[in-house]
Amino acid sequence: MSAGVQARVLIVARDDALAGPLADGLDRLGWRTITARGPYAALAALSDLQIEAVIVDLASGGSEARALPGKLKAACHPRRVPVMAIGEPDPSLEADGFDLTIAAPLHPAQAVLRLETLVRTAVAEEEFELRVETFAERGRMLEPAAPEATPFRVLAIGEPAPQFLALSNALVRNGAEVVGAFTAYTAFDYLHERPFDAVVLWAGDNSSEALSIAAGMRRNTRLFHTPALLYMRHESYITASEAYHRGISDVASPETPEVETAGRVIELARSYRRQTGLRRALERARITGLMDPATGLFTRDLFASHLVRLAQASRVRNRPLSVCVLRVADKGEVREARAAGWLDKAIPQIGSMIGRLVRVEDTAARLGQEVFALALPATPQASGRAAGERIAAVIGCTAFEAGEGRSPFVVEFDIGVAEVSAPETAGKALEEAAARATRAS
């Protein structure tokens, strides 16, 4: 691809044996790529472009490739850029600075699923550093949550087929605590009773039930972010990209060695724990007296202060930044609920739902009685609108109490989005997003 197009992924490879098909596939899936043939070209690309992740082909790079992660990450600082290796898994690669190693061949759709996880974790870590600064500025300490020492908890859902049992045993050998559920009904009982770090769904001969379970998780605000790996009997039954759009976090088949698949599940669980730890740290901020007491979200003033810091960081890190405003739409049943006082009673629940639905790296705030805002780091405007619409769609499935003898009401949102072009225009971008939400009504 030409360097004039905004590339998201840098591939470092001496030849196109692996890199060519991977680049073509990633481009088609929306993760535009640029390929560097050596270290100097790679460092130049990182300094000029908004690269979100790097993939290094170890086979074509030789011994020189193993020294790349440290140089690449230093060149991007303070932007955190994960580096993935294609090659034979080797524990020493982690010591070299690689965040993940995947054996060849790497399917583009599989790469996208792994990139999403790696990039989100990197952005979340950047965001937490900024939140610490924002709270410290106001005399409050925001400590990271202590890491959990317990084994990763994995829920394995599906019939006890030999391949599925083999994967469960591999997870146990990796130190995970595995709970089996043979039906969707039993699975949701477990999911509501206790927390899990990851879910594995066995598709068997028919993936429809596994996909319906994943869809059910994505409609539940508490389970929305729990990662789910789809373990298919045949890779061709449903494409990985289709599965991803149905709420699946990763896809594997019995053709993939159980050890590798188990490692992928553990990686999903580890990333999820990191993100939930960040969430717990932010939730503790509610007792600082700085958050909105009803919803637990940022107040208008705290959000404005943090947005300026985010805008400054986005320029230094060469990342996009968008703001999204969600205003409760003035519909007929909402007017009735407002007049009777029921909308006011629902607002704390709505705000709490927004707080659970945003990505851990996003900042949610309450700007007014019925107006919410999101600051979305590493997110261009089009993706910011998609994030707002996704949150609105999930909340739109919830019925709120409207009083005895009255049907429950649902809430829709008018959505406005704007991209922050520079730190000094952060406030203007928020006003623009709010104006667009007003015009949408």
Side-chain angles (χ1 to χ4, degrees):
M1 60 159 281
S2 73
V5 179
Q6 276 294 355
R8 302 179 65 186
V9 180
L10 170 65
I11 299 176
V12 185
R14 294 285 185 192
D15 58 59
D16 282 333
L18 286 174
L22 178 60
D24 291 342
L26 288 173
D27 287 343
R28 286 194 299 271
L29 293 171
W31 283 75
R32 302 306 301 270
T33 65
I34 186 168
T35 301
R37 296 304 182 194
Y40 297 109
L43 292 171
L46 283 174
S47 63
D48 294 338
L49 302 171
Q50 292 181 337
I51 298 297
E52 297 176 49
V54 180
I55 299 176
V56 178
D57 178 6
L58 293 178
S60 73
S63 59
E64 189 179 54
R66 296 192 61 139
L68 273 178
K71 296 177 182 178
L72 297 175
K73 292 182 179 185
C76 294
H77 184 78
R79 182 167 89 250
R80 293 177 184 241
V81 173
V83 181
M84 180 193 303
I86 305 177
E88 289 303 315
D90 179 350
S92 66
L93 289 170
E94 185 176 342
D96 290 334
F98 287 98
D99 297 276
L100 177 68
T101 305
I102 300 181
L106 176 60
H107 190 283
Q110 178 193 355
V112 165
L113 296 168
R114 316 311 291 282
L115 288 168
E116 287 278 2
T117 301
L118 290 172
V119 170
R120 282 196 55 200
T121 300
V123 176
E125 289 171 345
E126 292 176 358
E127 169 60 19
F128 186 72
E129 291 173 357
L130 297 178
R131 291 184 188 182
V132 168
E133 293 175 9
T134 296
F135 279 83
E137 189 177 65
R138 297 183 175 228
R140 302 292 193 274
M141 295 297 293
L142 190 59
E143 298 287 347
E148 289 188 50
T150 57
F152 293 117
R153 295 176 293 270
V154 179
L155 179 62
I157 306 172
E159 62 189 48
Q163 303 99 317
F164 198 39
L165 291 175
L167 175 58
S168 295
N169 291 334
L171 285 167
V172 172
R173 288 195 298 273
N174 271 267
E177 176 188 309
V178 181
V179 175
F182 298 147
T183 67
Y185 182 82
T186 307
F188 277 104
D189 274 351
Y190 279 125
L191 286 167
H192 289 298
E193 286 173 3
R194 66 183 84 167
F196 287 93
D197 300 300
V199 171
V200 178
L201 298 160
W202 170 243
D205 294 321
N206 187 346
S207 63
S208 59
E209 181 171 334
L211 291 173
S212 68
I213 293 171
M217 291 172 61
R218 302 303 171 239
R219 289 192 297 268
N220 184 298
T221 56
R222 193 176 62 80
L223 303 174
F224 188 84
H225 297 288
T226 305
L229 179 138
L230 180 66
Y231 196 48
M232 298 186 297
R233 187 187 298 276
H234 300 295
E235 209 165 5
S236 60
Y237 188 84
I238 180 172
T239 67
S241 55
E242 287 175 316
Y244 173 70
H245 289 301
R246 299 284 290 274
I248 296 296
S249 309
D250 200 353
V251 178
S253 73
E255 284 73 37
T256 305
E258 287 112 9
V259 173
E260 181 186 332
T261 302
R264 286 157 64 176
V265 175
I266 295 297
E267 182 211 332
L268 288 172
R270 182 179 292 110
S271 175
Y272 178 69
R273 276 212 181 168
R274 170 63 180 158
Q275 292 170 15
T276 52
L278 290 172
R279 284 184 186 277
R280 287 199 309 274
L282 185 58
E283 284 169 1
R284 288 206 296 268
R286 294 183 182 184
I287 64 174
T288 62
L290 300 180
M291 311 295 277
D292 176 63
T295 62
L297 303 180
F298 276 50
T299 61
R300 185 186 187 96
D301 289 345
L302 184 63
F303 181 75
S305 173
H306 189 60
L307 182 60
V308 171
R309 179 168 277 106
L310 271 170
Q312 293 167 342
S314 70
R315 178 170 63 182
V316 172
R317 290 179 171 130
N318 196 16
R319 290 196 191 274
L321 170 67
S322 293
V323 288
C324 175
V325 171
L326 300 166
R327 185 188 302 273
V328 174
D330 195 25
K331 305 293 184 181
E333 59 182 6
V334 166
R335 291 193 195 102
E336 294 176 11
R338 183 186 295 115
W342 289 100
L343 180 58
D344 286 346
K345 294 179 180 178
I347 288 295
Q349 183 182 349
I350 293 170
S352 179
M353 292 173 73
I354 291 173
R356 290 196 299 270
L357 288 169
V358 293
R359 302 169 303 182
V360 70
E361 64 267 32
D362 300 334
T363 301
R366 184 181 183 184
L367 298 187
Q369 179 59 19
E370 300 174 12
V371 183
F372 303 90
L374 311 174
L376 307 163
T379 305
Q381 184 169 326
S383 298
R385 171 161 287 279
E389 290 173 346
R390 171 180 57 81
I391 290 169
V394 175
I395 295 177
C397 295
T398 303
F400 297 97
E401 182 63 43
E404 189 175 350
R406 290 180 175 272
S407 298
F409 68 97
V410 295
V411 171
E412 297 178 18
F413 291 96
D414 295 321
I415 302 173
V417 184
E419 191 163 336
V420 180
S421 57
E424 57 271 16
T425 64
K428 183 179 178 181
L430 183 59
E431 291 174 2
E432 186 178 334
R436 289 174 178 172
T438 300
R439 289 196 296 270
S441 61

